[in-house]
Amino acid sequence: MAMKANAMLRVLVGILLAATLLAGCAQRPSFRIGYLEGQPDSALMAELVAQTLKHAGARTVLTACSTPLACGRQLQAGDIDLLPEYSGTARAFFAGEPVSDGRLPAVQRALEDAGLAATPAFGFDAPYRLLMRSAQAETQAVATIADLSELERPRFAVPPGYMRQPGDGLFALARRYGLEITPEQVAELQAPSERVAKLLSDEVDVAVTRAPFVRQTSMTALSDPLDFYPRYQAAVVLGPAATARQAFIEEALKPLFGRVTDETVQPLLREQVLQGREAGPLASRLLVDLGVLDATGPSVRRPDMTVAVRGGAELGDLGGAALLTVRRAFPERPVQMVTRNDPAAALADGTAELAIVHTSDFFQLSWRGAYGGRDPRLEAITAVGRQPFLLLTRAGREAPERNPLTQRVGTQPGWTAGGKVAARILALASNQPAQRMTSGQLISALRAGELDAALLLLDEGAREALGTPANNDIQAADLSQWVIAPPFFLNAQRLPASAVPGSDGPIDTLSMQLVLAGPALQEATTGPVHGGPASTVGIQGRPVPLREAETLAAANDTTETLDPVLPSFRDRATRAEAARRDDRSNWLETGMILAALAYLAWAGSLLAHRQRPPV
């Protein structure tokens, strides 16, 4: 009897434990979270929501959908439970009657009527922006969306589905502004980076993207005078099943509301788009910063590709174009940016696989402008564009009789590419820099009369300073007129007036290329000199494999070709092919010699056989 009682007791205990476990599982909510495929902001919001809910004890699964309309339909059908979205988009897709302005409270009321709900706002807005290249917008006098009517068949790059998107899509925009847009004028591209790349390469006239994604000085966002676009406040839309758990969801997500701002989102989106970082680790980092998660989780793997840039260099859109080229060539490899005083050293010691450098970096220039020959550590792969130099003097003066380069000339700091090349130009004119400062400081000193001229590489700081009106303004002089013997790695270039703020006409100047470079092939450098296995391990950077270099060059959609004075990976390919030809020739020669020897041996044996006397 005792044994039966014990057995019965064990059964009862097992039943109670199973019931407890099942009850615990039943109490743990589960959510399917949708996001828009290929859109970095949507993926980042979905990861923030998923990781925060998981931290609160819920199960989460991420589900991609192709277009906002498809996301909305899946939410209403119950295929997904939560959808991070924007209020302006939600007003058109989730409410029976679109509300007028897209403010979140009005959208929340409309969603309730549709059996849905929305959480409070995260804290950032993401309105659609129509971007144009600043130079084109200025030349064609386009400042607003309405001004697009003056262009002849403008070309657009838009997200998939946006062309016919109800409420705030491209065709709805065209109807509101009276624009004539046909499907033939529109290219649908999933990734925002590809839309911006098409814009920068002049393949389209207008790129449509979200505001937090990109803010570049060489692109102008067209204003919306008719207020066509509503508010786009980021929030989470709850499907019919999830509304029953609204209290749990909002309590779990409470640390995010009002704290995920433009300032926190913008850098993360740039890392996603330009450096290929995954949304999950970026969301984890932000949640650690917000105190939602602790920092004791597993470390994120190191990026597969490291790109070095010079410290203090303002590369602007050309730097962004270089990173987009890398991402286009190797979409599966995240990119890590590192800042170095000498990017070539980072390539040589293996710290970086690629570097964004100027033409001048392939040659040894001192901060005083002395030339020391070619730098053997670099190998050019592809040119992403050009940066021009400007010779600035004070405006209102007659054309100078003396060469401005022989007077008090300010340059950029001596460790920058612009500063070194400017010092070289002045050295060739038997002069040296009077002051070394940043672009904005040089222009201020020139306006104050502390300098007679400024010689600088045109960067974003210079554009901003030149665009600031002042009583004692300055003007750009023709640099080509005053440089008698320019450094051989510079090229003559004529800049249109629109390229230099405040300029009245074209400017003849000199420019140099911005280049994606890799390590050059060097003699093997090994490890410690005290012996042991480590002493045989090479420690220098290895050149980019020829196939990868070809892929990188093919991914660059600019029309710029490498300056012939630069050592290129194609030279290495030519040498490798010549070596293979020599090897083939040597093998052929060796084979012919062996064949000749074999023939002689055979002929000798026949002769010896004939001369042998009969037995």
Side-chain angles (χ1 to χ4, degrees):
M1 293 293 294
M3 294 180 60
K4 289 184 178 180
N6 290 335
M8 184 66 69
L9 181 61
R10 285 195 298 269
V11 172
L12 289 174
V13 170
I15 293 174
L16 289 173
L17 287 174
T20 303
L21 290 173
L22 290 173
C25 292
Q27 292 172 0
R28 186 181 181 189
S30 178
F31 301 105
R32 294 160 298 175
I33 303 171
Y35 68 94
L36 194 57
E37 186 176 15
Q39 302 307 308
D41 54 336
S42 183
L44 181 63
M45 286 195 294
E47 283 285 355
L48 288 171
V49 171
Q51 294 185 33
T52 304
L53 289 174
K54 189 177 295 185
H55 181 69
R59 294 188 183 91
T60 58
V61 176
L62 295 180
T63 302
C65 43
S66 57
T67 65
L69 183 57
C71 287
R73 287 173 176 168
Q74 290 184 41
L75 185 73
Q76 290 177 307
D79 296 330
I80 56 178
D81 303 304
L82 303 175
L83 179 63
E85 209 14 296
Y86 301 105
S87 58
T89 306
R91 64 162 193 159
F93 290 139
F94 306 129
E97 295 294 332
V99 292
S100 59
D101 57 9
R103 288 180 299 176
L104 188 56
V107 172
Q108 287 172 322
R109 290 192 295 270
L111 291 173
E112 290 177 5
D113 297 335
L116 307 172
T119 67
F122 282 155
F124 72 94
D125 285 38
Y128 284 109
R129 294 291 190 220
L130 272 65
L131 302 176
M132 289 187 67
R133 296 182 304 283
S134 297
Q136 180 186 10
E138 182 178 349
T139 301
Q140 298 180 331
V142 179
T144 71
I145 298 174
D147 295 334
L148 291 174
S149 61
E150 303 298 325
L151 303 184
E152 183 177 354
R153 292 182 61 80
R155 301 159 297 171
F156 294 82
V158 304
Y162 179 76
M163 183 165 50
R164 294 180 171 84
Q165 185 168 297
D168 56 358
L170 185 63
F171 286 167
L173 176 76
R175 289 192 296 271
R176 182 73 176 89
Y177 276 95
L179 306 176
E180 294 184 5
I181 301 176
T182 63
E184 291 73 25
Q185 297 169 242
V186 183
E188 292 189 324
L189 299 170
Q190 186 76 269
S193 57
E194 290 302 314
R195 282 173 254 142
V196 173
K198 293 290 184 184
L199 179 66
L200 294 177
S201 61
D202 198 23
E203 296 181 53
V204 299
D205 303 295
V206 181
V208 178
T209 186
R210 290 283 193 183
F213 161 58
V214 63
R215 293 171 183 166
Q216 307 236 30
T217 54
S218 69
M219 291 186 286
T220 298
L222 304 182
S223 64
D224 180 14
L226 299 182
D227 293 327
F228 169 77
Y229 287 114
R231 289 287 304 276
Y232 290 89
Q233 295 175 277
V236 180
V237 181
L238 283 63
T243 55
R245 296 250 182 200
Q246 184 170 358
F248 170 84
I249 293 169
E250 293 192 355
E251 183 62 28
L253 299 181
K254 190 174 181 179
L256 303 183
F257 299 147
R259 301 181 65 197
V260 184
T261 63
D262 287 345
E263 289 72 21
T264 57
V265 169
Q266 173 73 14
L268 300 181
L269 291 177
R270 285 187 64 83
E271 287 190 50
Q272 275 184 273
V273 175
L274 297 181
Q275 297 176 228
R277 296 292 185 84
E278 295 179 357
L282 293 176
S284 299
R285 188 205 306 168
L286 178 56
L287 293 174
V288 169
D289 292 340
L290 296 176
V292 178
L293 304 180
D294 59 41
T296 59
S299 60
V300 182
R301 67 179 179 86
R302 294 187 62 188
D304 293 334
M305 182 165 288
T306 304
V307 180
V309 296
R310 185 181 298 278
E314 294 187 20
L315 303 180
D317 294 337
L318 289 179
L323 289 178
L324 289 175
T325 298
V326 177
R327 293 290 303 122
R328 196 180 296 116
F330 310 112
E332 74 288 351
R333 301 176 68 180
V335 177
Q336 170 70 34
M337 297 288 294
V338 295
T339 301
R340 295 289 185 271
N341 291 333
D342 183 7
L347 293 179
D349 64 21
T351 305
E353 297 174 75
L354 296 172
I356 303 174
V357 296
H358 290 90
T359 309
S360 60
D361 291 312
F362 288 81
F363 307 95
Q364 297 175 352
L365 295 177
S366 74
W367 64 278
R368 292 180 177 273
Y371 175 72
R374 192 175 78 79
D375 192 329
R377 300 172 296 175
L378 291 169
E379 177 182 82
I381 297 177
T382 186
V384 296
R386 286 189 170 275
Q387 253 187 303
F389 281 88
L390 287 184
L391 176 60
L392 303 176
T393 60
R394 289 196 299 277
R397 304 172 61 188
E398 297 181 358
E401 297 180 0
R402 288 178 55 200
N403 187 343
L405 298 176
T406 63
Q407 302 179 45
R408 296 180 302 164
V409 184
T411 68
Q412 288 154 321
W415 65 81
T416 65
K420 289 181 179 181
V421 176
R424 178 63 181 168
I425 293 174
L426 293 180
L428 294 174
S430 302
N431 196 6
Q432 61 182 2
Q435 295 188 47
R436 299 178 188 268
M437 297 180 288
T438 65
S439 302
Q441 292 170 335
L442 285 173
I443 293 172
S444 297
L446 183 60
R447 282 174 169 153
E450 300 170 10
L451 295 170
D452 299 310
L455 180 59
L456 51 87
L457 194 62
L458 181 59
D459 56 21
E460 302 307 327
R463 286 191 175 92
E464 183 178 352
L466 290 171
T468 303
N471 294 331
N472 185 24
D473 212 348
I474 59 179
Q475 62 187 5
D478 288 340
L479 179 59
S480 301
Q481 175 184 352
W482 299 108
V483 178
I484 299 175
F488 65 91
F489 49 80
L490 298 183
N491 304 106
Q493 183 178 3
R494 169 163 286 193
L495 298 178
S498 58
V500 181
S503 178
D504 296 329
I507 302 165
D508 291 316
T509 187
L510 300 172
S511 65
M512 60 181 177
Q513 290 183 331
L514 194 69
V515 176
L516 269 170
L521 184 62
Q522 302 180 57
E523 293 185 6
T525 303
T526 56
V529 298
H530 52 67
S535 63
T536 64
V537 179
I539 60 173
Q540 82 281 0
R542 293 179 298 175
V544 177
L546 291 175
R547 183 172 296 179
E548 289 191 7
E550 287 284 3
T551 300
L552 197 57
N556 184 9
D557 57 5
T558 67
T559 57
E560 191 75 30
T561 57
L562 278 174
D563 194 309
V565 304
L566 298 180
S568 165
F569 79 95
R570 300 190 190 281
D571 301 331
R572 175 160 52 97
T574 301
R575 291 194 298 270
E577 179 59 31
R580 284 193 293 269
R581 284 198 302 269
D582 289 343
D583 288 342
R584 288 195 294 268
S585 177
N586 290 338
W587 279 109
L588 179 61
E589 184 178 349
T590 301
M592 293 179 66
I593 292 173
L594 291 174
L597 291 174
Y599 174 78
L600 291 175
W602 174 73
S605 66
L606 285 179
L607 183 61
H609 179 73
R610 289 180 179 179
Q611 292 178 351
R612 185 180 304 167
V615 178

